[in-house]
């Protein structure tokens, strides 16, 4: 069962259904009798015993499959991954049994590449089956898997996809994704993102209470997720914000009946009390933790045992250092980092020495600073998606409520007319459903296309650029490393005097100019080049260069194709149009290859564009080389002509000399 922080920050359990050996069909399983009502009243251990007895008596392959499926589900919801993995190996799920496949996918995360393939195939199958809830859970599970292997940027991108799917999923799936994103904020973000994660979890608590008030039947689900959320907020305050008073407050709200969380909550409460110099309270909490059930996860028990010894050491009680000597290799990075930091701060020499030694090994092997930097940059995109989803949520809920009321009214009317128009109503319903299905398929295809396309010009938009630009930068870095030496160039194109076109001829004419401008540029570039509608009358081009001087030829070809002949307008005389181009080459020709963020490259192209506008318009200006990369911030804050005069950069332009003509 996926657990962020392997028990510290728990990912919420996804719901699963009991459904589907090679000769068993879905119909075979549907014909089996359901499990008896008295089975639902049994405890976890009693259910496993009952299922084992039934397996010994089962007289068909379908029945055995049904029972193994249910046993896997029981292990799944009770976080027993070891037993779940064993069931999945001995009774493999059938291809059409998507829920069983999902449970098995979560049980084994050793081989990252293989697991990613399994998750993506399951995602495709869930989408094909129109099972949006499961598709959301699969992508969320993939994100957790990526985070546990240190690929935090990919984890956030997967959560972005999960959040977009959650718009069409159930409230439970939405809560799962939002809480898991919050957990990743806390685990891998800086202080700002930790606080955002806490706020997101607190907002989820409010939604859960609203859900319980509206639907009392959801009480069990709400209570389970509330316990997880209270625990996760407590962990955020205790391990990441070091606000131990707040940590105690939130741990106190964790439902004592939640067995998987009970010992963890008590031990981290004891740690918080010890940090607050509350020795008696820490001793009491340790005694309660000793009576609590141990986790079903061996890795969780291992590091919780270490935390227990750490608390004993902090309150000057006998402690066993050996329990902290060698944490499991499955222990998450953030857990080891927190434990080793706390050990390194102790006065006892053996504890402090072990903590410092482990920290040294951890920083060498894991490079924490790079991980944090990558995570924070990726988190910003996930945060934006979360805010957009939140803003749409209220509208969607209102629409669903209105639709429900309307459906109830129509149902009442239908019942009154049923005796005289049953056949007519049936035909009408079938017709409406058919139309809606066709329309939904059409809208889904349109949405998938429009999400990365500009509606006016048909070019790709900024979203597409942000999703694909790193691929281009990686291509350059690889080619520089293998000696092929390929480069790329960024071009910002701006239509000259576009505001006057709108003012003098109207916005319809302006739109025609934009469409024709995009068409001409597309004709002048290659299919492999990336042309983006950047905003307004600005366009961004990223082109791969075969020769060092290609960037000048491309800029001049674009300038020429734009002003070679007037633009034809509807009900208007042909209009002469020109553009100004700012460009920058990456990597720089006379410096060693240094990885640069694409934001810097766009800003440099924009500065070159501004210089061209100021000087001449209908021209191009290119940053050919940055002589002083250490001064990049200064270069971006001042006029490029001044930077050239200070010998920080090398410029070229379609007019003679930038330095001598200004």
């Amino acid at each position: 069962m996926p657990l962020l922080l392997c028990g510290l920050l728990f990912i919420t359990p996804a719901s699963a259904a009991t459904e589907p050996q090679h000769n068993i069909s879905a119909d075979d399983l549907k014909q089996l009798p359901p499990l008896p009502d008295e089975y639902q009243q049994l405890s976890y251990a009693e259910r496993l015993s009952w299922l084992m007895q039934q397996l010994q008596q089962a007289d068909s392959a379908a029945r055995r499959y049904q029972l193994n499926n249910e046993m896997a589900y029981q292990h799944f919801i009770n976080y027993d991954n070891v037993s779940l993995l064993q069931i999945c190996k001995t009774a493999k799920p059938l291809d059409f049994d998507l829920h069983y496949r999902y449970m098995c996918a979560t049980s084994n995360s050793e081989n990252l590449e293989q697991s990613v393939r399994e998750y993506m195939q399951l995602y495709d199958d869930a989408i094909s089956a129109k099972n949006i809830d499961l598709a959301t859970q699969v992508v969320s599970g993939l994100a957790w898997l990526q985070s546990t292997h240190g690929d935090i940027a990919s984890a956030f991108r997967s959560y972005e996809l999960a959040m977009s799917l959650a718009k069409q999923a159930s409230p439970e799936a939405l809560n799962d994704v939002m809480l898991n994103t919050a957990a990743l904020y806390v685990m891998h973000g800086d202080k700002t993102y930790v606080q955002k994660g806490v706020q997101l979890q607190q907002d989820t608590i409010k939604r859960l209470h609203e859900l319980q008030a509206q639907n009392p039947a959801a009480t069990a689900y709400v209570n389970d997720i509330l316990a997880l959320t209270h625990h996760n907020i407590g962990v955020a305050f205790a391990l990441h914000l070091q606000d131990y008073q707040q940590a105690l407050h939130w741990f106190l709200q964790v439902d004592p009946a939640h067995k998987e969380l009970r010992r963890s909550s008590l031990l981290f409460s004891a740690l918080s009390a010890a940090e607050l110099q509350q020795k008696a309270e820490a001793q009491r909490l340790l005694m309660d933790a000793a009576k609590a059930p141990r986790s079903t996860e061996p890795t969780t028990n291992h590091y919780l045992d270490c935390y227990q010894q750490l608390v004993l050491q902090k309150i000057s009680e006998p402690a066993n250092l050996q329990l902290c000597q060698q944490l499991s290799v499955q222990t998450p990075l953030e857990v080891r980092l927190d434990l080793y930091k706390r050990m390194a701060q102790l006065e006892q020499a053996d504890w402090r020495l072990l903590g410092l030694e482990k920290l040294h090994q951890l920083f060498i092997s894991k490079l924490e600073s790079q991980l944090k930097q990558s995570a924070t940059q990726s988190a910003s995109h996930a945060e934006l998606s979360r805010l957009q989803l939140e803003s749409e949520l209220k509208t969607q809920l209102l629409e669903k409520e209105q639709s429900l009321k309307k459906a109830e009214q129509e149902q009442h009317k239908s019942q009154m007319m049923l005796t005289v128009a049953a056949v007519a109503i049936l035909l009408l319903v079938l017709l409406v459903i058919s139309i809606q299905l066709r329309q939904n398929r059409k809208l889904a295809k349109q949405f998938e296309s429009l999400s990365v396309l500009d509606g006016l010009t048909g070019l790709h938009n900024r979203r597409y650029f942000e999703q694909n630009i790193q691929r281009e930068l990686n291509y350059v870095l690889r080619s520089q490393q293998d000696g092929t030496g390929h480069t790329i160039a960024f071009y910002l194109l701006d239509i000259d005097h576009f505001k006057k076109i709108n003012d003098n001829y109207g916005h319809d004419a302006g739109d025609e100019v934009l469409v024709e401008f995009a068409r001409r540029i597309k004709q002048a570039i290659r299919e492999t080049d990336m042309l983006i509608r950047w905003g307004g009358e600005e366009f961004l081009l990223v082109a791969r260069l075969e020769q060092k001087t290609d960037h000048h030829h491309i800029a001049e070809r674009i300038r020429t194709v734009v002003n070679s002949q007037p633009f034809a307008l509807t009900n208007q005389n042909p209009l002469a149009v020109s553009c100004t181009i700012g460009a920058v080459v990456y990597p720089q020709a006379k410096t060693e290859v240094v990885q640069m963020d694409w934001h810097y490259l766009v800003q440099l192209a924009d500065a070159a564009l501004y210089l061209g506008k100021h000087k001449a318009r209908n021209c191009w200006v290119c940053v050919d080389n940055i002589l002083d990369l250490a001064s990049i911030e200064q270069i971006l804050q001042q006029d490029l002509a001044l930077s050239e005069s200070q010998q920080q950069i090398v410029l070229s332009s379609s007019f003679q000399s930038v330095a001598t003509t200004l």
Side-chain angles (χ1 to χ4, degrees), residues 272-506:
S272 300
E275 294 288 355
L276 293 170
Q277 306 299 316
Q278 299 175 6
K279 181 176 180 179
E281 179 65 8
Q283 289 174 324
R284 184 189 66 81
L285 290 166
L286 284 175
M287 292 177 62
D288 289 344
K291 303 173 185 176
R294 294 176 67 82
S295 171
T296 57
E297 288 282 349
T299 299
T300 303
N301 288 323
H302 197 162
Y303 71 70
L304 285 179
D305 289 341
C306 182
Y307 272 110
Q308 182 182 31
Q309 301 308 308
L310 183 62
V311 175
L312 289 170
Q313 186 65 45
K314 283 181 174 292
I315 61 175
S316 302
E317 296 285 348
N320 186 356
L321 179 59
Q322 290 184 348
L323 292 178
C324 296
Q325 286 279 1
Q326 192 64 46
L327 295 178
S328 168
V329 294
Q330 302 300 324
T331 304
L333 171 65
E334 52 276 4
V335 178
R336 286 179 282 169
L337 184 61
D338 180 74
L339 278 169
Y340 299 151
K341 282 182 178 179
R342 295 180 188 275
M343 292 165 61
Q345 295 168 358
L346 293 174
E347 296 180 359
Q348 291 73 18
D350 52 346
W351 285 79
R352 185 171 67 254
L353 182 61
L354 178 62
L356 290 172
E357 178 186 343
K358 293 296 185 180
L359 277 175
H360 180 258
Q361 296 174 0
L362 204 57
F363 273 90
I364 291 176
S365 61
K366 295 299 182 180
L367 299 174
E368 182 209 29
S369 59
Q370 293 183 10
L371 182 61
K372 288 285 187 180
Q373 181 181 5
S374 173
T376 302
Q377 292 172 350
S378 300
S380 62
H381 300 293
E383 172 66 4
L384 178 59
S385 294
R386 184 191 69 76
L387 292 174
Q388 291 173 339
L389 181 57
E390 291 278 27
S391 66
E392 296 171 5
L393 184 59
K394 294 182 180 179
T395 301
Q396 293 178 1
L397 291 176
L398 179 60
E399 291 174 350
K400 288 181 180 180
E401 182 179 357
Q402 292 174 343
S403 298
L404 179 60
K405 291 181 179 179
K406 183 178 180 180
E408 290 174 348
Q409 294 172 355
E410 292 177 350
Q411 182 180 11
H412 179 68
K413 182 179 179 180
S414 299
Q415 289 173 347
M416 296 175 59
M417 301 175 60
L418 185 59
T419 55
V420 294
V423 175
I425 291 176
L426 178 60
L427 292 175
L428 178 61
V429 170
L430 292 175
L431 178 60
V432 170
I433 292 175
S434 176
I435 293 174
Q436 287 179 337
L437 288 175
R438 287 197 298 269
Q439 185 66 16
N440 287 342
R441 284 194 295 267
K442 181 179 179 181
L443 289 175
K445 292 181 179 179
Q446 291 176 347
F447 176 79
E448 181 181 3
S449 174
L450 291 175
S451 63
V452 294
L453 294 180
D454 173 56
L456 177 63
T457 64
L459 300 179
H460 288 116
N461 58 19
R462 285 196 184 207
R463 178 183 178 88
Y464 176 87
F465 171 81
E466 292 180 356
Q467 292 175 347
N468 291 273
I469 186 57
Q470 194 59 49
R471 178 195 64 205
E472 296 299 313
L473 297 178
N474 292 340
Y475 158 78
V476 172
L477 291 175
R478 287 195 304 270
S479 70
Q480 295 294 329
Q481 292 168 357
D482 61 25
T484 55
H486 292 302
T487 58
I488 59 175
F490 284 61
Y491 301 85
L492 265 180
L493 324 172
D494 185 272
I495 300 175
D496 295 332
H497 305 296
F498 185 74
K499 185 176 184 300
K500 290 184 179 180
I501 296 176
N502 279 332
D503 293 343
N504 295 337
Y505 301 97

Side-chain angles (χ1 to χ4, degrees), residues 124-142:
D124 290 340
D125 293 346
I127 291 295
S128 298
K130 298 181 175 57
N131 192 334
I132 303 302
D133 271 15
L134 182 60
T136 303
Q137 294 162 6
V138 169
V139 179
S140 182
L142 173 60

Side-chain angles (χ1 to χ4, degrees), residues 99-119:
H99 289 288
Y100 194 180
R101 286 170 56 191
Y102 171 67
M103 290 188 294
C104 291
T106 66
S107 68
N108 185 13
S109 59
E110 294 298 322
N111 188 323
L112 177 61
E113 184 177 348
Q114 178 182 349
S115 296
V116 170
R117 287 198 300 268
E118 290 178 359
Y119 273 108

